[in-house]
């Protein structure tokens, strides 16, 4: 594949390795939101890497059982946010609404255009506490250790105390549960940083924003959409937090380096 | 968390390490499909680990901006497949339909109840070729190497030739694209095994089934739903394929050990 340019953009980060802090440029994944229609009927809207969209359309319709034979597809029209497929000779398996069952995120799209104000300054955390949080998330993830299949989210205060923790097959639902547990215990998530496993697209960052959490830390990669949202909402985004390293993508001023 | 029993079930696998093949029992993640309603309006249906559902409901509604203050929630009724929340004093941010944008899988639910016949026998692959495939998927994933953010899927024939390859932010869409590329090139995915990155719930296995692919290999964990579907559809499911080890969850007879 020689399509890296269409799939990524550059972003300036602060790269931290123990006591060495350097500014550097990394590549981050970009996503598009597209809708696919079959014979004029909207089938789904999803986030996708914006390459190979014709192949995606063919594979999606076969793999979801919506078209029984690729030979039935008579036309594929790919536009930036819409793929229209014509396959009038083919039958659909089941009805369309059940397609809407999801395994993961709720998505961002229009809802990412949050009109609410950015989060305030004030909450800061020492680099050592933050690194300790990335160790704590693995200690907490007991089901992950026995299955390798879950994500884990913890909320940690700036003295390093875990306020809330949850494991779930979904990274999004692990965030929901950790935030819900804190709220049901009368704890304000706004006075914590969030450490989660898994990648950080905009919908993950939007969840933290709405819970008022100013710092989001992951052991994994953020996406372009997550970085943009964090920049705009005055949130600190840390990716690839794997002691002794981490990458600070936005608003490093909350981390005492 | 002491809820491991509610979150996992046991499964008998063939554990392969170089030339040692042993039967052993491992734990796999289970999932439920639940719908959440707010004031009687269905908000979303998703796959979730079936614990902490009240916390999930509170966190989800806050994190998705559907309830502005957890104090507004007056009732939460949790049933096996439905969580009904009452929060009549609270306002919704935006309209509900846009919630349906997804970042990942299309889900299984009713559609997992495939009525079509199981896949046929016949296609087999040598263990060495299969291990080589798990190396090839990483070699192919050039965007993953520069970003850490993508999933990759390759289709490989039983002589070890890559027939098709795709990277995408979504593991599901990487499968769609790899299958679509094969079909657009006139290649029958049924004569290949699929190597993908990321976990394997039922919706991932269902995609391979519909494309006729009899062997699905991942470097990561399968879920209970993926294993059940593979068992029933006569598909070979291999998880944690990290040379020199792999775990064969279903129908090992297609792999020449």
């Amino acid at each position: 594949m020689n399509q890296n340019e269409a799939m990524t953009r550059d972003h300036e980060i602060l790269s931290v390795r123990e006591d060495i802090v350097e500014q550097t440029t990394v590549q981050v994944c970009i996503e598009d939101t597209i809708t696919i229609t079959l014979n004029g009927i909207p089938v789904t809207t999803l986030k996708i890497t914006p390459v190979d969209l014709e192949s995606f359309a063919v594979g999606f319709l076969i793999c979801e059982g919506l078209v029984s034979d690729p030979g039935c597809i008579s036309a594929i029209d790919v536009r930036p946010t819409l793929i229209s497929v014509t396959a009038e000779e083919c039958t659909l398996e089941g009805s369309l609404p059940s397609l809407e069952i999801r395994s993961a995120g709720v998505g961002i799209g229009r809802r990412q255009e949050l009109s609410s104000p950015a989060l305030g300054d004030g909450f800061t955390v020492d680099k050592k506490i933050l690194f300790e949080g990335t160790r704590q998330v693995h200690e907490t993830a007991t089901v992950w250790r026995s299955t390798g299949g879950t994500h884990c989210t913890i909320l940690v205060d700036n003295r390093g105390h875990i306020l809330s923790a949850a494991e779930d097959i979904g990274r999004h639902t692990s965030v929901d549960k950790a935030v819900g547990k804190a709220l049901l215990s009368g704890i304000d998530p706004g006075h914590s940083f969030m450490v989660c496993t898994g990648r950080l697209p905009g919908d993950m960052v939007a969840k933290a924003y709405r819970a008022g959490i100013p710092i989001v830390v992951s052991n994994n990669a953020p996406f372009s959409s997550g970085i943009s949202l964090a920049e705009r909402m005055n949130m600190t985004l840390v990716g690839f937090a794997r002691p002794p390293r981490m990458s600070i993508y936005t608003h490093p001023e909350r981390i005492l380096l």
Side-chain angles (χ1 to χ4, degrees), chain A:
Chain A
M1 273 169 277
N2 292 311
Q3 297 174 308
N4 291 24
E5 279 183 27
M7 298 169 73
T8 64
R9 71 165 168 85
D10 289 344
H11 184 79
E12 290 255 306
I13 66 162
L14 274 190
S15 168
V16 179
R17 182 180 180 177
E18 289 177 346
D19 289 333
I20 303 165
V21 181
E22 290 175 320
Q23 196 154 8
T24 185
T25 302
V26 296
Q27 286 186 293
V28 297
C29 289
I30 56 173
E31 322 110 83
D32 271 0
T33 302
I34 63 138
T35 295
I36 182 164
T37 69
L38 176 59
N39 301 328
I41 303 167
V43 174
T44 193
T45 299
L46 43 64
K47 309 296 288 187
I48 193 166
T49 301
V51 301
D52 297 329
L53 294 181
E54 188 170 338
S55 295
F56 161 71
V58 172
F60 177 85
L61 293 170
I62 295 295
C63 289
E64 291 301 323
L66 299 172
V67 168
S68 53
D69 182 335
C72 299
I73 296 173
S74 56
I76 303 176
D77 180 38
V78 175
R79 304 188 182 196
T81 60
L82 181 68
I83 305 175
S84 308
V85 181
T86 308
E88 288 175 353
E89 296 303 307
C90 290
T91 56
L92 304 182
E93 175 198 289
S95 58
L96 291 178
S98 58
L99 270 176
E100 296 302 327
I101 294 177
R102 294 172 298 97
S103 61
V106 163
I108 37 175
R110 193 153 49 85
R111 290 169 49 81
Q112 189 184 13
E113 306 304 326
L114 298 171
S115 54
S116 326
L119 295 186
D121 298 328
F123 184 84
T124 59
V125 62
D126 191 272
K127 177 185 65 175
K128 288 193 182 69
I129 298 287
L130 199 149
F131 272 136
E132 179 61 20
T134 69
R135 277 185 284 263
Q136 286 168 310
V137 79
H138 293 297
E139 283 169 26
T140 306
T142 58
V143 181
W144 183 82
R145 283 202 299 278
S146 70
T147 64
T150 54
H151 282 286
C152 188
T153 297
I154 58 175
L155 305 188
V156 187
D157 72 16
N158 57 7
R159 294 175 304 166
H161 296 145
I162 298 179
L163 305 178
S164 172
E167 273 186 277
D168 197 280
I169 53 158
R171 59 179 192 259
H172 299 81
T173 32
S174 78
V175 171
D176 295 330
K177 286 179 175 180
V179 168
K181 282 184 183 181
L183 292 172
L184 287 174
S185 305
I187 292 166
D188 178 2
H191 297 129
S192 71
F193 62 98
M194 182 172 100
V195 185
C196 52
T197 58
R199 298 169 301 159
L200 296 173
D203 55 359
M204 287 282 283
V205 175
K207 282 184 184 285
Y209 166 78
R210 294 196 186 97
I213 299 170
I215 302 176
V216 179
V217 181
S218 170
N219 60 353
N220 213 310
F223 291 170
S224 179
S225 60
I227 296 167
S228 300
L229 188 61
E231 274 178 340
R232 188 158 60 86
M233 290 306 181
N234 189 31
M235 297 168 71
T236 302
L237 203 63
V238 179
F240 297 109
R242 302 166 182 180
R245 292 173 181 273
M246 64 175 158
S247 300
I248 309 177
Y249 287 78
T250 63
H251 297 288
E253 60 276 8
R254 283 198 188 83
I255 302 175
L256 309 174
L257 292 167

